[in-house]
Amino acid sequence: MELGAEFTKGEVKNLKDLNANVIVSAAGCWTNELLKDIPVFPQKHTVFRVKCPKHVPDMPLTGDLTTGIYWRPEGKEYLAGSPISKWDCDELEPEWNDFEELVWPGLAKRIPAFEELKLTGGWAGYYDTNKLDNNAIVGKHPAYDNVYLATGFTGRGLMQSPGIGRGLTELITTGSYQTIDLNCFGVERVLNKKERIEPYVL
Ligand SMILES: Cc1cc2nc3c(=O)[nH]c(=O)nc-3n(C[C@H](O)[C@H](O)[C@H](O)COP(=O)(O)OP(=O)(O)OC[C@H]3O[C@@H](n4cnc5c(N)ncnc54)[C@H](O)[C@@H]3O)c2cc1C
């Protein structure tokens, strides 16, 4: 904005309404509402906060790929994700039953100290899920002169954002990727249904 850019706030109904040389569409799980050919949709996921008398602060982020449950320390507690996700959900009440039925037994099976867990909280949100292959969609949209995408991270957008931001900046300002080659996440792959499947979505 110091450089004179205009800031406007509000819902974009159609990308063609925007008068800009370059548009980066980063609409997350709502991407398909703006771009009907991009299969990114909201998928509800629940995360629980738990406390355990035996705390291991340097426990790494760990995923049990046999159950889809993951956990990591969060302050003096832990976060643990439910393996169950839901499509077409217009409410975000956490799926509390998943804790007793799936997450707690799954955690205790791997780490016996977790048998003494206490549930202290939880929340649910929408993953920005790419239904084609669970992977990011990054780069120029071939049907537009000025539209670039950064979407479809399928629950990994925070981790991937530094590299995506850098790569996309390079693509827009120089015409090609310079330090990080993100071509494998290109928009054409999605339009041509050439999957680059991520099998594990935690
Ligand atoms: C429970 C849960 C746990 C997660 N855990 C992790 C994790 O541990 N690590 C990790 O890396 N990622 C995690 N994620 C995923 C991560 O949050 C997302 O991948 C990331 O937020 C995507 O960022 P984004 O900027 O692309 O989209 P968003 O953060 O969703 O932002 C999209 C923005 O676009 C706006 N928008 C959409 N449509 C329009 C429109 N038509 N007009 C105007 N504005 C519009 C929205 O209002 C929103 O502000 C988690 C997600 C959930 C739900």
Side-chain angles (χ1 to χ4, degrees), residues 83-149:
I84 303 291
S85 58
K86 281 190 175 174
W87 296 108
D88 302 319
C89 238
D90 55 11
E91 51 74 30
L92 284 173
E93 178 66 18
E95 301 288 332
W96 298 111
N97 289 342
D98 290 359
F99 180 72
E100 293 268 343
E101 290 168 12
L102 297 166
V103 176
W104 194 0
L107 292 173
K109 182 178 159 207
R110 293 291 176 193
I111 301 177
F114 277 177
E115 277 171 20
E116 296 176 61
L117 281 184
K118 276 202 167 36
L119 181 65
T120 59
W123 70 89
Y126 295 123
Y127 273 22
D128 40 354
T129 299
N130 172 0
K131 274 191 174 177
L132 176 71
D133 60 10
N134 293 329
N135 254 317
I137 306 172
V138 182
K140 187 172 172 304
H141 194 308
Y144 297 80
D145 291 334
N146 60 345
V147 174
Y148 293 77
L149 297 190

Side-chain angles (χ1 to χ4, degrees), residues 5-201:
E6 185 189 347
F7 176 75
T8 55
K9 192 175 174 183
E11 185 181 351
V12 176
K13 301 278 188 206
N14 189 327
L15 290 175
K16 291 192 169 144
D17 295 340
L18 298 175
N19 179 21
N21 292 337
V22 174
I23 297 168
V24 178
S25 180
C29 65
W30 300 278
T31 295
N32 184 261
E33 292 179 19
L34 284 170
L35 291 161
K36 292 295 171 205
D37 52 359
I38 303 298
V40 176
F41 295 92
Q43 187 185 35
K44 180 180 171 184
H45 282 251
T46 297
V47 175
F48 300 105
R49 218 176 57 234
V50 296
K51 201 176 174 74
C52 181
K54 287 181 199 137
H55 189 65
V56 185
D58 52 1
M59 186 185 293
L61 168 66
T62 312
D64 181 345
L65 300 182
T66 66
T67 59
I69 297 167
Y70 67 90
W71 62 94
R72 68 164 170 82
E74 170 83 349
K76 293 188 173 155
E77 302 189 343
Y78 298 90
L79 294 184
S82 170
I84 303 291
S85 58
K86 281 190 175 174
W87 296 108
D88 302 319
C89 238
D90 55 11
E91 51 74 30
L92 284 173
E93 178 66 18
E95 301 288 332
W96 298 111
N97 289 342
D98 290 359
F99 180 72
E100 293 268 343
E101 290 168 12
L102 297 166
V103 176
W104 194 0
L107 292 173
K109 182 178 159 207
R110 293 291 176 193
I111 301 177
F114 277 177
E115 277 171 20
E116 296 176 61
L117 281 184
K118 276 202 167 36
L119 181 65
T120 59
W123 70 89
Y126 295 123
Y127 273 22
D128 40 354
T129 299
N130 172 0
K131 274 191 174 177
L132 176 71
D133 60 10
N134 293 329
N135 254 317
I137 306 172
V138 182
K140 187 172 172 304
H141 194 308
Y144 297 80
D145 291 334
N146 60 345
V147 174
Y148 293 77
L149 297 190
T151 187
F153 302 110
T154 315
R156 301 180 301 275
L158 297 181
M159 293 182 280
Q160 296 183 346
S161 58
I164 301 292
R166 180 171 185 162
L168 204 49
T169 302
E170 291 171 356
L171 181 65
I172 292 168
T173 56
T174 73
S176 61
Y177 294 119
Q178 303 296 317
T179 57
I180 307 173
D181 185 353
L182 299 176
N183 279 305
C184 59
F185 295 126
V187 183
E188 280 89 347
R189 126 184 161 271
V190 174
L191 301 180
N192 296 327
K193 302 207 169 21
K194 288 196 175 150
E195 301 164 345
R196 185 184 188 280
I197 289 182
E198 171 52 60
Y200 300 114
V201 175

